[in-house]
Amino acid sequence: MGKIVLFIQIFCAVSHGQSPDCKDFINSKYFKLSKPGDFKQYGQSKGIPVVVRKTYTFEIVFVGKNEYKMGIATESDYEPIHIRMIDKKTNKVLFDNKKYQYMGSVSFYIEKTSMISVEVTVLAIDEPFILPEDVRVCLGIKIYNQSVD
């Protein structure tokens, strides 16, 4: 009986509130987006722990007259990832990867410096979670840019 109680306590501690350390996730093997040519890694790149099937919004300032390549990845078996980019000023959806079979990267050009909301949801469609809100995984947003004058 004592072993069962101990197992339940350990399981609850792991599944509730324990987040993986994701700071270096953008440098992990899960990223298929490699550094393109003369592009530099943009300072807004990050790795964070997220809850599966919960939508996260990141407000990112993209500097004008720059070309960008952005990739978003998570640990294996938790794909696809739904990504939407929304112009904060106009509320216009600029990109929705649902239209492109949930591809994990996008290239784009920004004419004028803009605040863009990047909405990300780890869908994990093929995972039959009992309580998906208890599943925490690493998510990475890797952004490269280069000035185009």
Side-chain angles (χ1 to χ4, degrees):
M1 180 70 172
K3 290 180 183 177
I4 293 174
V5 171
L6 179 62
F7 172 76
I8 291 172
Q9 287 176 334
I10 290 172
F11 176 76
C12 288
V14 169
S15 66
H16 290 286
Q18 296 291 330
S19 295
D21 181 15
C22 303
K23 286 181 282 192
D24 293 326
F25 187 74
I26 60 171
N27 300 316
S28 73
K29 65 181 180 181
Y30 298 106
F31 268 94
K32 296 169 181 81
L33 180 68
S34 58
K35 182 178 175 293
D38 292 334
F39 282 69
K40 296 177 182 146
Q41 188 165 320
Y42 193 52
Q44 301 278 341
S45 298
K46 63 183 82 193
I48 61 163
V50 297
V51 174
V52 169
R53 299 188 185 142
K54 181 177 176 186
T55 300
Y56 292 83
T57 303
F58 304 95
E59 308 293 328
I60 301 176
V61 175
F62 290 99
V63 178
K65 304 251 188 259
N66 272 264
E67 185 177 352
Y68 293 89
K69 296 187 184 298
M70 181 173 69
I72 297 180
T74 188
E75 299 167 59
S76 60
D77 301 327
Y78 294 104
E79 295 179 344
I81 302 170
H82 186 202
I83 305 163
R84 288 183 357 131
M85 296 175 66
I86 303 163
D87 185 310
K88 283 285 287 179
K89 197 174 202 178
T90 64
N91 242 8
K92 180 181 176 188
V93 176
L94 304 172
F95 175 75
D96 187 336
N97 75 338
K98 187 176 184 178
K99 296 176 184 174
Y100 305 98
Q101 292 78 45
Y102 298 106
M103 67 182 199
S105 63
V106 60
S107 297
F108 55 97
Y109 174 77
I110 298 290
E111 178 67 34
K112 293 172 67 175
T113 299
S114 303
M115 174 80 77
I116 307 289
S117 294
V118 179
E119 291 181 355
V120 181
T121 309
V122 176
L123 297 176
I125 290 173
D126 295 331
E127 292 296 316
F129 301 118
I130 295 170
L131 299 171
E133 62 273 8
D134 288 340
V135 179
R136 289 168 176 77
V137 297
C138 288
L139 174 87
I141 300 175
K142 188 180 269 190
I143 306 169
Y144 292 106
N145 74 310
Q146 80 173 359
S147 179
V148 180
D149 289 323

